[in-house]
Amino acid sequence: MSAHRLPAPWGTRLDRAARVPFSFDGRDFEGFAGDTLASALLANGVRLTGRSFKYHRPRGVFAAGVEETSTLVDVGEGAYRSPNENAATLELVPGLTASSVNRWPSLRFDFGAINARLAAVLPAGFYYKTFKWPDWHWYEPSIRRMAGLGRVANASDPDRYEEIAVEVDVLVVGAGLAGLCAARAAAEAGARVRVLAAGPQPGGALAYRDPQRARELAASAERAGARIATRTLAFGVYDHGLVCAREKLVEQDGAQRPRLRERLWKIRARAVIAATGAFERPMVFPDNDRPGVMLAGAVEEYARAFGVACGRRVVVAANCDSAYDTARSLREAGMEVVAVVDRRREAERGRDPGPGTRVIAGAGLSAVFGRNGVSGCSVRQDAAPTGRAERLDCDLIASAGGFAPAVHLHSHAGGRLRWLDAEAMFVPDGPAGVVVSVGACAGVFDATAAAEHAELAGRALARGERLPPWPAPGIGRSLAHTALSGARGKQFVDLQNDVDLGDVALAARENYRSVEHLKRYTTTGMGTDQGKTSNVNALVALGEFSGREPAAVGTTTFRPPFVPVTLGTFVGRRTGALYRPLKRLPAEAWHVERGALFEQFGNWWRPAAYPQPGEDLHAAAQREAAAVRRGAGLMDGSPLGKLDVFGPDAAAFLDLMYVGTVSTLKAGQARYGVVLNEHGVVMDDGIVARLADNRFWVNTTSAGVERTAAAFEEWLQCEYPQLRLCITPVTSHYGNVTVAGPRAWAWLASIGFDAALAPKAMRHMTLREATWEGTPLKVMRASFCGELSYEINLPVDRTRALLDRLWARAAEFEAVPYGIEALEILRTEKGYLHVGTDTDGTTLPGDIGMARGVERKAANFVGRRSLLRPAALDPNRFVLVALDSADGRTLLPVGAQIAPEPPPTRTQGHVTSSYFSPTLGRPVALAMLERGGSRVGERIKVHHLGRVIEAVVTRAPFVDPEGRRIDGEE
Amino acid sequence: MLRIRCIHCGPRDENEFVCGGTSHLTRPPLGASDGEWAEYLFFRDNPKGLHLERWRHAQGCGAWFNLARHTVTHEILAVYPITERPPAIVERTPPSAEGSR
Amino acid sequence: MTSGYSAWSLLRGAVGGHRHWPPAWPAVEPKSRYDVIVVGGGGHGLATAYYLAKNHGLRNVAVVERGWIGGGNTGRNTTIVRSNYLYPESARLYDFSLKLYEGLGKDLDFNIMLSQRGLLMLAHSRHDLDAMSRWANAMRMNGIEVNLLDRAAVANLVPALDLSPRARLPVIGGFLQPRGGTARHDAVAWGYARAAAALGVDIIQNCEVRAFLKDGARVTGVETSRGRIQAVRVGIAAAGHSSVLAGLAGFRLPVTSYALQALVTEPIKPALDTVVISPGTGAYISQSDKGGMVIGAMLDLFPSYAQRGSFAVLQAILASTLEMFPSFSRLKMLRHWAGIVDVVHDSSPIIGPTPVPGLYINCGWGTGGFKAIPVGGWTLAHVLATGENHPLAEAFQLERFVTGRLVDEAAASGIAH
Amino acid sequence: MGDLEAALAPVSADGIEAILERDWHVAALRYFAVHGDLIEALAKCGLGLPALGQAVEARGPGGAHFLLAARSPTETWVMTRDGAAFGALAAQLAPCVDGCLVDQSGGLWPVRVRGARIEELLTRIGSTAALVAAGAAHVTRIAELTVMVAAPGDGAERLLLVDRVYAPHLFGWIRATVADL
């Protein structure tokens, strides 16, 4: 095939003044601006462009659009490598570096081609029948290396992607003749109309058949108010009129620098007009996959749009009337049309082919000559099945098997299809939800009829009126089955995945007769082209081999995306730090200055500890915990969940939310409470304080506040709407500085805290509203570490001031900042539980000693009924216990399992929290243990990854069991 | 992605909402049997067709409301306040067991 | 096996243009009566029929499938097999299934491409590591091999992972079940169908159950789109459609059907050799033998039978996937679909009798049904043949929802801290 | 993690500006019966509740400028830069029983967005629900966060109200988007 460039005016999309250098497989070439990589390769006479997936047969450019099966390339290097790009839609830009895929070492000498020789033993599904002995793992690695086309990038993607949301009245997908007519009519009828053109310019096929009319039509649509977006391809129709499209912003040039690469359009449309045209169906004949066998429409497009003649002597293998128009175009482009071999008998032709072309009717191709390029073919007529085949010398075979309307968007929207026998195609069977099809994708091919129908449809949709009747296709007859009976050799149905008629026959023979089984068993239609040119031929062949009409065979499900779409385009800005919000402390800078080591805790960025030089996290935490016990420490508790609950029914409502009773609290009193879900499982815990008769201050865990606030709101709105209260999260309005330790009060007094807050004047588990240097405070004496402890809630913008003033006097009280790790040590020393660490989704309040007195409570609180089920009353439940290491030295690993015998055996529990206690000089741990309440003093075995450690069940708290330290130093 | 008309805020994308499952369940009293409690907690019609369900406009006004929605086509037949029974038109539409694709 | 599958049989076939291969399962017309009817021609239903014949000698069995076998969740999942479960009852069930998978290729004489490439769970915080220590130790108590990995071990196992400390969710370790991996989902369905048919089971497609035939309260067969079929016992294995069938039989299930999405990218050369799951981000990924990245998601959390997914959830899945594998950003999605999964509150199955005499059910697998196909079939066959629950299924009965003895794996692995 | 203050720095390019304004006093008005004593107390201060989806400007105590935006059927956000007027309003509402004022100052941050390309920004970080007419206020999903977008007065500018802890995330989306506008 000696493809070559045609002179102007051929090549309506070319800018012949702009020469574009590019490279393919290391060789340098030149094309023009407006070329695609495929058209530029053809113009430079490059015939061999790819290798097929399974047999590694040589392949050349086959099509001119998204349906290209054979010319996939990797583009760009390193982090910029984009695998499997479709060369037929890749716009040529200066410095484009492309490399062919799925071949080693090169396209011309590919070891994989050995598969073609073994083809006889590699029918469809051969891998199900073998590779079982000794074991699939023997064979898998080499099979995986053979499979796959391109290669993935080797570093994270430097390019950026974004998304944009828009609402329109009428969205027109496709800017060909039908699309533009519909858009103009809809816009003239007053609708907000947007038109999406997948390519660089509107007009579709009209743009290269009649550029002048295409420009005028596009301009008139825009004058009427329609907005046309180019390089924007609608790839999916989703629920409720959502259409998603991908806009290409930059092509892959050599300048490997980060840019905004693609944009995702999320379009909500009241009505969608699909005007996406139709794909040409390839003819089925032996070796119809050779480089030089191309879709007839593509050959015409390369000539008219890209100024490339794909060959000098062409044979048109036809099965429809449009083949004769294509033949005429190729003759105009200076190519010699050797013959039109029409599969249909003369009587079946819709119209007379006209003078100048030799037509061989009722005939088909019985062989193709040439391996890496077509050198000729042989033709045989049905009338003389055993007669001598006639050889035709040619370097190009144009395949014109009829058309397959692009019914993808119609199907995404749930539309049904209908088979037209005469035209041998599936067309939409009426509208589908918001999607109405016009033009070729609706099976309307006659230009005038299509334009008129599109206009009526556009106007009707804009006005919300009845749709116009569907006109006839106007395209003449096409045969469904085109293969010559008795022809020998591989007659391909799916070019990319190497599926031929023999494979379809095998599937039918082995009863893989559902069209869905055919696809999965032979992999036809599962390539990157998703069966755009193979689906109809495959299902027609299946019908032939299983005695069914195409309508009875049906199609597989059309699924988004219409073309492969970059993962980054779906993700947009949700990468790196923006993948998921990270909550920051109000006075983060203060902690940075103190050398804090930050970690993520429940999506908060908080200090785990404040390591001093030479300390790691654990050493720092040990020091901090000891310092709190000895002197004093401060912790930034701002993430603590805080809810303001106000209203006359607030107390009654909280009685329904908490296991314990809240309504008996007096103003200023605070009580620890646990919240369940309806299954009785402990979901959250925290302190509830009464501010006034009709107002409560509710603390929850920092990770659980959004879930708990939502749960309260759900119960209020859905179950107890009659109760008069409101729940307002105020977590971010209040900073929280917790000052704990025996000298905590002395430290606070030193910076001017009101004497009314002194331990003697203010009892533990009470809340006082006070002021400090003009700042209103809510101060609560609550202790998660067992020492004297003040939780100071203040307006968030005053947090830094309090931290600075405390830090200025810290040394006097040997006071330190302490992080989460130290807090965990301190609370474990006291045996206080941490919801989500010591408890899980099965823990009931009774398991953690929080169910005392439940029977006496009146309110049917959330989850209460679940506590009366047999599983809840089971004496063998796992309950929270304290554990000592038997040797007083070895740390019990968190997650270690408890069981008398070594595994495999039934576990009796696991370690939930475990730290070395600096205060006691030995490890302390908590665990969930079967019947733990009655096993204090028992010696148990703890198993961790094969190691066994002895432990003893004991009682918590480990430190200050009588709680004498709660009021701090005298 | 659904487009749900919030009862207060108007049409919004599905990712602003949270579905709260089947609506119009009555919470049994404390004295209910384990079987009645299980029916309330777990057992559902799970219809392939019309479903009366609760939704919360989580990233909007925060309100709960009821939706009558078809679980195959996702068509939304009605939006009505959380405290009300379904509107008449919904009652008459039988939950169809239409084949799904 | 009339004609065994092997390299030799392929050679013999090559000579004759592969014309001698018999149907994998013959196309049959339904008989009027069987001993057992299994409703649902997915993996679980076909496995049930095979084990009825193989384990219990019951050959007068029919599988009735509404569409085409393997067309439901069996053809829509991400093909992951594992048994990394915490509760002994779950661990025994899923490990029994994995053991059956390990011998299934030879047992069915059908290459199901079981690829035990290892299943890696990622930890993104010290809290995650603690939870995984419990998970791994619980697995060892159940006799299931597992290794805890530090960051370096994860790095050399999965080089494409983003292990930079500045990642939004840094990877700081994880645990690996070496025997976990993937299997070819279609092959599992077709393998069971062929083996069951060879033992005499009738596999009847395009046969939708419209009603149950009853004699008093007892089920005595089914009314289908291809006529009436009697049976002594009927088993339901219809996954997302379990409630529809239960409704026809007059009872309700603790099941809600949700769409569960999955997608595949275009095929590329090998770049990911293990299955990687990140509980923290909710994404899971493996590379198929053809070279496509198979990516799964969490549920679309509103009831649906629509077999298509929400675009918003799709964006969230891919954001999580690219958080772990930022170099996959330029890969292109080839196809995206959804299955309808039957979700139960404790994410554990229901395998045993229903309130209706003569009618048994296998459902509730939710998002984890594929890995359980062999054991789901084995245990449903057992109760259908003997009327007694298989020991492995004892903990997974309907009455657990009344007693509260749930087997809640997800809950046991800790609420997000 | 990048420096917090840097994360909150103003964003500006031709046709678009986003600035965090930290000097506002903000509160949530909560209420059950819409015509309870809270509404009367508000009226005494010269203020009234806007309709759902609306944001109104008004003169509060001492003639200070106030902005009230409807958040939900039981909540309205009230904002002013005048601390004294804010305190006076809080005092006026303190005794009410049919509703209350909950101070959210410092916890709920307004971000002012101005310039010709406001809508190009908002439709890239939110859905079309982020497009509000003059005098309107929508609470919607922006940068995956729950954000109120209000167009007070003549609607030339927008105020985005976001929880303080999520402000760096919102600015992250705005900064990245504006850089490519």
Side-chain angles (χ1 to χ4, degrees), chain D residues 75-112:
Chain D
E75 184 169 359
T76 291
W77 288 346
V78 57
M79 304 166 49
T80 178
R81 281 194 163 104
D82 181 325
F86 184 78
L89 174 66
Q92 183 69 38
L93 302 185
C96 294
V97 289
D98 293 328
C100 63
L101 178 141
V102 181
D103 194 343
Q104 296 282 25
S105 304
L108 200 53
W109 268 347
V111 176
R112 184 171 301 276

Coordinates of all heavy atoms in Angstrom, one line a residue, chain D residues 75-112:
Chain D
E75 N -33.0 27.2 61.4 CA -31.7 27.9 61.7 C -31.4 29.0 60.7 O -31.6 28.8 59.5 CB -30.5 26.8 61.6 CG -29.2 27.4 61.9 CD -28.1 26.3 62.1 OE1 -28.5 25.1 61.9 OE2 -26.9 26.6 62.4
T76 N -31.0 30.1 61.2 CA -30.6 31.3 60.4 C -29.2 31.7 60.9 O -29.0 31.8 62.1 CB -31.6 32.4 60.5 OG1 -32.8 32.0 59.8 CG2 -31.1 33.7 59.8
W77 N -28.3 32.0 60.0 CA -27.0 32.5 60.4 C -27.1 34.1 60.3 O -27.6 34.6 59.4 CB -25.9 32.0 59.5 CG -25.6 30.6 59.7 CD1 -26.0 29.8 60.8 CD2 -24.8 29.7 58.9 NE1 -25.6 28.5 60.7 CE2 -24.8 28.4 59.5 CE3 -24.1 29.8 57.7 CZ2 -24.2 27.3 59.0 CZ3 -23.5 28.7 57.1 CH2 -23.5 27.4 57.8
V78 N -26.6 34.7 61.4 CA -26.6 36.1 61.5 C -25.1 36.6 61.7 O -24.4 36.0 62.5 CB -27.5 36.6 62.7 CG1 -27.1 36.0 64.0 CG2 -27.6 38.1 62.8
M79 N -24.8 37.7 61.0 CA -23.3 38.1 61.0 C -23.3 39.6 61.0 O -24.1 40.3 60.4 CB -22.7 37.7 59.6 CG -22.7 36.2 59.3 SD -22.3 35.9 57.5 CE -20.8 36.9 57.4
T80 N -22.2 40.1 61.7 CA -21.9 41.5 61.7 C -20.5 41.7 62.1 O -19.9 40.9 62.7 CB -22.8 42.3 62.8 OG1 -22.4 43.7 62.7 CG2 -22.6 41.8 64.2
R81 N -19.9 42.9 61.6 CA -18.5 43.2 62.0 C -18.5 44.0 63.3 O -17.4 44.2 63.9 CB -17.9 44.0 60.9 CG -17.4 43.1 59.7 CD -16.4 44.0 58.8 NE -15.6 43.2 57.9 CZ -15.8 43.1 56.6 NH1 -16.9 43.7 56.1 NH2 -15.0 42.4 55.8
D82 N -19.7 44.5 63.8 CA -19.8 45.4 64.9 C -20.0 44.6 66.2 O -21.1 44.1 66.5 CB -21.0 46.3 64.7 CG -21.1 47.4 65.8 OD1 -20.8 47.0 67.0 OD2 -21.5 48.5 65.5
G83 N -18.9 44.4 67.0 CA -18.9 43.6 68.2 C -19.9 44.1 69.2 O -20.7 43.2 69.8
A84 N -20.0 45.3 69.3 CA -21.0 45.9 70.3 C -22.4 45.5 69.9 O -23.2 45.0 70.7 CB -20.8 47.4 70.4
A85 N -22.7 45.7 68.7 CA -24.1 45.4 68.2 C -24.4 43.9 68.4 O -25.4 43.5 68.8 CB -24.2 45.8 66.7
F86 N -23.3 43.1 68.1 CA -23.5 41.7 68.2 C -23.8 41.3 69.7 O -24.7 40.6 70.0 CB -22.2 41.0 67.8 CG -22.3 39.5 67.8 CD1 -23.0 38.8 66.7 CD2 -21.7 38.7 68.8 CE1 -23.1 37.4 66.7 CE2 -21.8 37.3 68.8 CZ -22.5 36.7 67.8
G87 N -23.1 41.9 70.6 CA -23.3 41.7 72.0 C -24.7 42.1 72.4 O -25.4 41.4 73.1
A88 N -25.1 43.3 71.9 CA -26.4 43.8 72.2 C -27.5 42.8 71.8 O -28.5 42.5 72.5 CB -26.7 45.1 71.6
L89 N -27.3 42.3 70.5 CA -28.3 41.3 70.0 C -28.3 40.1 70.9 O -29.4 39.6 71.3 CB -27.9 40.9 68.6 CG -28.8 39.8 67.9 CD1 -30.2 40.3 67.7 CD2 -28.2 39.4 66.6
A90 N -27.1 39.6 71.3 CA -27.1 38.4 72.1 C -27.8 38.6 73.4 O -28.6 37.8 73.9 CB -25.6 38.0 72.3
A91 N -27.6 39.8 74.0 CA -28.2 40.1 75.3 C -29.7 40.1 75.1 O -30.5 39.5 75.9 CB -27.7 41.4 75.8
Q92 N -30.1 40.7 74.0 CA -31.6 40.9 73.8 C -32.3 39.5 73.7 O -33.4 39.3 74.2 CB -31.8 41.6 72.5 CG -33.2 41.9 72.1 CD -33.9 43.0 73.1 OE1 -33.2 43.9 73.5 NE2 -35.1 42.7 73.5
L93 N -31.5 38.5 73.1 CA -32.2 37.2 72.8 C -31.9 36.2 74.0 O -32.5 35.1 74.0 CB -31.6 36.6 71.5 CG -31.7 37.5 70.3 CD1 -31.2 36.7 69.0 CD2 -33.2 37.8 70.0
A94 N -31.1 36.6 74.9 CA -30.7 35.6 76.0 C -31.9 35.0 76.7 O -31.9 33.8 76.9 CB -29.7 36.3 76.9
P95 N -32.9 35.9 77.1 CA -34.0 35.3 77.9 C -35.0 34.5 77.0 O -35.9 33.8 77.6 CB -34.7 36.5 78.5 CG -34.3 37.7 77.6 CD -33.0 37.3 76.9
C96 N -34.8 34.4 75.8 CA -35.9 33.7 75.0 C -36.0 32.2 75.3 O -35.0 31.6 75.7 CB -35.6 33.9 73.5 SG -35.6 35.6 72.9
V97 N -37.2 31.7 75.1 CA -37.4 30.2 75.4 C -37.8 29.5 74.1 O -37.7 28.3 74.0 CB -38.4 30.0 76.5 CG1 -37.9 30.4 77.8 CG2 -39.7 30.7 76.1
D98 N -38.3 30.3 73.1 CA -38.7 29.6 71.9 C -37.6 29.5 70.9 O -37.8 29.1 69.7 CB -39.9 30.4 71.2 CG -41.1 30.3 72.1 OD1 -41.3 29.3 72.8 OD2 -41.9 31.3 72.2
G99 N -36.4 29.8 71.3 CA -35.3 29.7 70.4 C -34.1 30.4 71.1 O -34.2 30.9 72.2
C100 N -32.9 30.3 70.4 CA -31.7 30.9 71.1 C -30.7 31.3 70.0 O -30.8 31.0 68.9 CB -31.1 29.8 71.9 SG -30.5 28.3 70.9
L101 N -29.8 32.1 70.5 CA -28.6 32.5 69.7 C -27.4 31.7 70.2 O -27.1 31.6 71.3 CB -28.3 34.0 69.9 CG -27.1 34.6 69.1 CD1 -27.4 36.0 68.6 CD2 -25.8 34.6 70.0
V102 N -26.8 31.0 69.2 CA -25.6 30.2 69.5 C -24.4 30.9 68.8 O -24.3 30.9 67.6 CB -25.7 28.7 69.0 CG1 -24.5 27.9 69.4 CG2 -27.0 28.1 69.6
D103 N -23.5 31.4 69.6 CA -22.3 32.1 69.1 C -21.4 31.1 68.3 O -21.1 30.0 68.8 CB -21.5 32.7 70.2 CG -20.5 33.7 69.7 OD1 -20.2 33.7 68.5 OD2 -19.9 34.5 70.5
Q104 N -21.1 31.5 67.1 CA -20.2 30.6 66.3 C -19.0 31.4 65.8 O -18.3 30.9 64.9 CB -21.0 30.1 65.0 CG -22.2 29.2 65.4 CD -21.8 27.8 65.7 OE1 -20.7 27.5 66.2 NE2 -22.7 26.8 65.6
S105 N -18.8 32.6 66.4 CA -17.7 33.4 65.9 C -16.4 32.7 65.9 O -16.1 31.9 66.9 CB -17.6 34.7 66.8 OG -18.9 35.3 66.8
G106 N -15.6 32.8 64.8 CA -14.3 32.2 64.8 C -14.4 30.7 64.3 O -13.5 30.1 63.8
G107 N -15.6 30.1 64.5 CA -15.8 28.7 64.1 C -16.4 28.6 62.7 O -16.3 27.6 62.0
L108 N -17.1 29.7 62.3 CA -17.7 29.7 61.0 C -17.1 30.9 60.2 O -17.3 32.1 60.7 CB -19.2 29.9 61.1 CG -20.1 29.5 60.0 CD1 -19.9 28.1 59.5 CD2 -21.6 29.6 60.4
W109 N -16.3 30.6 59.2 CA -15.5 31.7 58.6 C -16.1 32.1 57.3 O -16.4 31.2 56.4 CB -14.1 31.2 58.4 CG -13.1 31.6 59.5 CD1 -13.4 32.4 60.5 CD2 -11.8 31.1 59.7 NE1 -12.3 32.5 61.4 CE2 -11.3 31.7 60.9 CE3 -11.0 30.2 59.0 CZ2 -10.0 31.4 61.4 CZ3 -9.7 29.9 59.5 CH2 -9.2 30.5 60.7
P110 N -16.3 33.4 57.0 CA -16.7 33.9 55.7 C -15.5 34.1 54.8 O -14.5 34.7 55.2 CB -17.4 35.2 56.0 CG -17.3 35.5 57.5 CD -16.3 34.5 58.0
V111 N -15.7 33.6 53.6 CA -14.6 33.9 52.5 C -15.3 34.7 51.5 O -16.3 34.3 50.9 CB -14.1 32.5 51.9 CG1 -13.2 32.8 50.8 CG2 -13.5 31.7 53.0
R112 N -14.8 35.9 51.2 CA -15.4 36.8 50.2 C -14.8 36.5 48.9 O -13.5 36.4 48.7 CB -15.1 38.3 50.6 CG -15.8 39.2 49.6 CD -15.8 40.7 50.1 NE -16.4 40.9 51.4 CZ -17.7 41.0 51.6 NH1 -18.5 41.0 50.6 NH2 -18.2 41.2 52.8

